[in-house]
Amino acid sequence: MTLQGWFLILLFVGILLALTKPIGLWLHALYEGRRTPLHVVLGPVERGFYRLAGVDPTAEQGWRRYALHMLLFNVALLVFTYAVLRLQGVLPGNPQGLAGLSPDLAFNTAVSFTTNTNWQSYGGEATMSNLSQMLGLTIHNFLSAATGIALAFALFRGFARREAKAIGNFWADVTRVTLYLLLPICVLYTLFLIASGVPQTLAGVVDVQTLEGARQSILLGPVASQEAIKMLGTNGGGFFNANSAHPFENPTALTNLVEMLSIFLIGFGLTWTFGKAVGNTRQGWAILAAMVILFLAGVTVTYWQEAAGNPVLHQLGVAGGNMEGKEVRFGIAASALFSVVTTAASCGAVNSMHDSFTALGGMIPLFNIQLGEVVIGGVGAGIYGFLLFAILAVFVAGLMVGRTPEYVGKKIESREVKLAVLAIAVLPLVILGFSSLSAVLQQGLAGPLNKGPHGFSEILYAFTSAVGNNGSAFAGLTANTPYYNGLLGVAMWVGRFFIIVPMLAIAGSLAAKKYTPESAGSFPTTGGLWVGLLVGIVLILGGLTFLPSLALGPIADHLAMIRGQLF
C-alpha cells in the first residue's frame, strides 16, 4: 500500500461528503414535488407526459396501488425489451448485422436490465446492435434507476407522514426523477466523456491499419451516453465486454475517478434527503456514517490484500502486488477502490477482473453484495435497504431498554419487524439455495472454469450478484447456458421485487401511524452508539448468514494459497 493510494481513497470520500448536501437538496425538491430551475424548460415536457398517459400527478396512491403500478410498469418494460432483443436481427440500427438473441439469453438480459442488475451473459460489442443498446438497454438504465429512487421517496413519506393513507404517486415520482435529475446530469456527463475520448456514434465498425501494417476492425457505437447513465444510475452494464476496463468506456485516470464518484453520488445524497424529510438531518448523517464505516473497512481489506500480492508467486521470484486482471493505467489502488465502490452499490461495473483478485481481496466485493448492498447501495435501493436494517436495529434497541422501539417519531411494532425480516431473508434464501443447487447439479457444475473452492466462489458470486441486483461477476463462470440464464433471471427478479413489496407495505403502515415524540426513555438514533449498533446489526446478520458459504469459498481458497496451492 502507498500514500498515493490512500490519498486517492480519502480524496474520493472527501469529494462525496462535500457533494452530499447539494445533491440531497435537489433530491428533496423532487421528493416534495417542488419547482426547480429546470421546470422552465422541462415543465411542459412533464405535463405532456401526464396528458399522454392519462395520469393525474396530484392523485396520490396507497402502498398497494403504488406497488401494483410499479409492478405493471416493470412487467411491460420486461416484455418490450425481450421483444426488441429477440427481433434484433430484423430491426434497423444494426450495422454489424447481428442476429437476434436466443430465448434464454433474451429473457436473462431483459430481466437483468429491468431489475437494475445489468448482469451480462454475453459480450456487448459482439451481441447487441446499436438499436438494442439504445432502445432496449439504455432506456432501462434510466427507468430502473428512477424506479429505485421513487421507491425510496415512498418509504421516506412513510416515515415522515402522520396518519396518512397515501405514500405518493409512482408515475409522478418516476417522471420527475428522470426529467429533472438523471437526464440533465447525464447530458453533461456524456459531453465530459466525449471530450475525454469516449466514442458516441451510430457507426458500427471502423477499419484501421496498425503500426505493424495489419488491418484491424475497431468496434464503435453510442458508448458515452450509455456509460453516463450506467454509472449514475448504478446499472453497470458495459457497452463492451471488458466494461470499464475498456479504454473506450474509461480512458483516463480522471474518467475513472468521475465514474466512481457518480456511482455513489445519488446514494450519498439520498441519506441527507431522508434526514430532511423526517425533519432531522442528523438522522441522515448517522445513516451515512454507518455506510462510510462499512465502505472504508471493505476498501482497507481489499487494498491490503491486493497490494500484498500472491505468496506463491513471491516464492517464485515475482515480487509486488497482485496485478493479474488489472489495467496498468489504473494500478492496484484505483482497481481495489473501484471494486469496492461498484459492489458497495448495486452497480456492477468493473475496471478490473474480480475473479483475478486474491482470495480475500475478492471476498470483500462478494460480501458487500451479500450484505444487501446497504453499504451505499444502488440509487434508492441502498437507502431503503439500509432502513430495513435500521428497523431491526431499533427493535433490538427496544429490547435492551425495555420499551416499544421508536424510529424518527414512529413506533416500530410487530408488523414492521416481520415485514423487514421477510424482505431481508429473501437474499440468503435465494443466494444459498440456488448456489447449493448449482454446486451439485451437472448443469451447474459445467459453468465454473476453476475447481475447488475458487470454482464454488464463482457459482456463489453469480447468484449473490443476481439476487443483490449488482451484475458484476467472477468471470470464470460460463453463464450463457439455458440453465444459468434461466435460474439467474429468476434470481434477479426475486431479488428486486420480493424486497420492494414488503418495503412498500412498511411504508404504508408507517404513514398511517401517529407521530410519537422522543422522551427520556427513547433510544437516541443520531449518535455514535446508534451508528455502532447499525454497523453491528448489518455485520452480524451478514456474518452469521453467509460465513459458512464464505468459509467453503474464498476463505478456503486463501488458506490453500498460503499452503502453496492455487485453483
Side-chain angles (χ1 to χ4, degrees):
M1 295 189 286
T2 65
L3 288 176
Q4 182 180 6
W6 280 111
F7 175 77
L8 171 64
I9 293 168
L10 296 176
L11 174 67
F12 171 78
V13 174
I15 293 173
L16 284 168
L17 291 175
L19 293 173
T20 297
K21 185 175 179 179
I23 191 67
L25 281 167
W26 190 269
L27 285 161
H28 189 255
L30 300 180
Y31 160 80
E32 290 191 328
R34 291 188 279 111
R35 285 181 62 84
T36 69
L38 293 177
H39 273 74
V40 176
V41 177
L42 297 175
V45 179
E46 179 188 1
R47 293 188 293 272
F49 282 154
Y50 296 148
R51 283 195 295 270
L52 286 173
V55 171
D56 179 4
T58 63
E60 294 209 342
Q61 303 162 330
W63 79 265
R64 291 180 179 84
R65 191 169 182 83
Y66 199 103
L68 177 62
H69 285 214
M70 180 273 302
L71 288 170
L72 291 175
F73 178 60
N74 281 276
V75 169
L77 289 173
L78 170 68
V79 173
F80 171 76
T81 304
Y82 179 82
V84 169
L85 299 178
R86 292 284 289 137
L87 297 172
Q88 174 178 271
V90 298
L91 292 174
N94 188 3
Q96 295 173 256
L98 298 170
L101 276 63
S102 65
D104 58 288
L105 181 57
F107 165 75
N108 180 279
T109 306
V111 172
S112 178
F113 280 80
T114 301
T115 58
N116 197 245
T117 308
N118 296 42
W119 170 273
Q120 294 174 285
S121 292
Y122 57 88
E125 66 269 44
T127 308
M128 295 292 175
S129 69
N130 287 342
L131 182 71
S132 294
Q133 294 275 17
M134 294 185 293
L135 186 62
L137 305 186
T138 303
I139 286 177
H140 271 296
N141 288 350
F142 279 94
L143 295 179
S144 65
T147 297
I149 298 171
L151 293 166
F153 285 175
L155 184 56
F156 293 176
R157 294 187 187 108
F159 281 106
R161 292 183 173 180
R162 306 176 186 182
E163 300 179 82
K165 296 181 179 179
I167 57 173
N169 184 299
F170 172 74
W171 304 107
D173 286 340
V174 168
T175 302
R176 289 168 184 157
V177 168
T178 304
L179 278 180
Y180 301 114
L181 178 71
L182 299 178
L183 191 60
I185 294 177
C186 283
V187 169
L188 298 176
Y189 197 171
T190 299
L191 293 175
F192 162 74
L193 291 174
I194 293 171
S196 301
V198 178
Q200 180 69 17
T201 175
L202 294 178
V205 178
V206 60
D207 293 323
V208 299
Q209 185 172 354
T210 67
L211 294 176
E212 292 83 4
R215 301 291 296 177
Q216 181 178 350
S217 295
I218 298 177
L219 298 172
L220 302 172
V223 183
S225 57
Q226 181 163 320
E227 190 72 15
I229 188 59
K230 155 192 165 181
M231 294 300 187
L232 183 67
T234 62
N235 294 283
F239 192 96
F240 297 99
N241 190 40
N243 207 283
S244 289
H246 197 292
F248 280 0
E249 290 198 29
N250 190 8
T252 69
L254 179 59
T255 61
N256 191 63
L257 176 61
V258 171
E259 289 185 7
M260 289 190 293
L261 290 170
S262 62
I263 293 172
F264 271 9
L265 179 64
I266 295 176
F268 266 62
L270 280 169
T271 61
W272 193 92
T273 303
F274 169 71
K276 182 69 172 177
V278 299
N280 184 354
T281 55
R282 292 180 63 195
Q283 297 286 354
W285 287 117
I287 288 176
L288 182 58
M291 290 178 169
V292 171
I293 288 170
L294 290 168
F295 166 69
L296 289 175
V299 170
T300 300
V301 175
T302 301
Y303 185 23
W304 164 46
Q305 285 296 302
E306 295 308 297
N310 190 325
V312 177
L313 297 181
H314 294 169
Q315 293 174 6
L316 296 175
V318 182
N322 176 33
M323 279 298 295
E324 180 187 342
K326 297 179 179 65
E327 282 292 309
V328 175
R329 68 183 192 276
F330 299 138
I332 291 176
S335 299
L337 177 60
F338 200 113
S339 72
V340 179
V341 168
T342 197
T343 52
S346 65
C347 185
V350 294
N351 75 346
S352 57
M353 299 301 105
H354 296 180
D355 196 31
S356 294
F357 277 32
T358 60
L360 295 186
M363 183 184 73
I364 296 302
L366 173 62
F367 190 54
N368 276 343
I369 310 172
Q370 289 175 339
L371 292 178
E373 291 182 313
V374 297
V375 178
I376 299 295
V379 285
I383 184 68
Y384 68 65
F386 208 99
L387 287 173
L388 294 176
F389 279 95
I391 288 172
L392 295 185
V394 294
F395 172 69
V396 172
L399 294 177
M400 290 190 294
V401 298
R403 58 175 290 166
T404 302
E406 303 164 7
Y407 187 50
V408 295
K410 294 295 178 74
K411 286 191 177 294
I412 304 300
E413 298 174 300
S414 62
R415 174 177 170 80
E416 292 78 38
V417 174
K418 290 175 182 177
L419 288 168
V421 170
L422 176 63
I424 292 172
V426 167
L427 269 76
L429 285 174
V430 182
I431 290 171
L432 299 177
F434 284 7
S435 296
S436 59
L437 185 68
S438 300
V440 296
L441 292 181
Q442 182 177 355
Q443 299 96 316
L445 291 172
L449 175 66
N450 301 94
K451 303 301 180 183
H454 196 82
F456 175 73
S457 295
E458 291 173 349
I459 295 174
L460 180 64
Y461 197 111
F463 287 106
T464 299
S465 180
V467 179
N469 298 139
N470 181 268
S472 64
F474 270 17
L477 183 77
T478 301
N480 191 9
T481 64
Y483 174 82
Y484 275 110
N485 280 334
L487 205 57
L488 288 168
V490 172
M492 288 184 277
W493 189 266
V494 172
R496 176 75 162 178
F497 297 108
F498 281 51
I499 293 174
I500 286 173
V501 173
M503 181 275 294
L504 287 175
I506 292 173
S509 177
L510 292 172
K513 291 176 180 287
K514 296 179 180 180
Y515 177 75
T516 303
E518 288 189 11
S519 65
S522 299
F523 186 86
T525 55
T526 56
L529 181 61
W530 169 244
V531 172
L533 180 61
L534 276 175
V535 172
I537 289 293
V538 170
L539 291 177
I540 289 170
L541 284 177
L544 292 177
T545 304
F546 292 105
L547 182 58
S549 62
L550 295 174
L552 292 172
I555 294 175
D557 198 4
H558 176 75
L559 295 175
M561 179 184 70
I562 293 174
R563 293 175 60 87
Q565 184 179 8
L566 299 177
F567 295 94

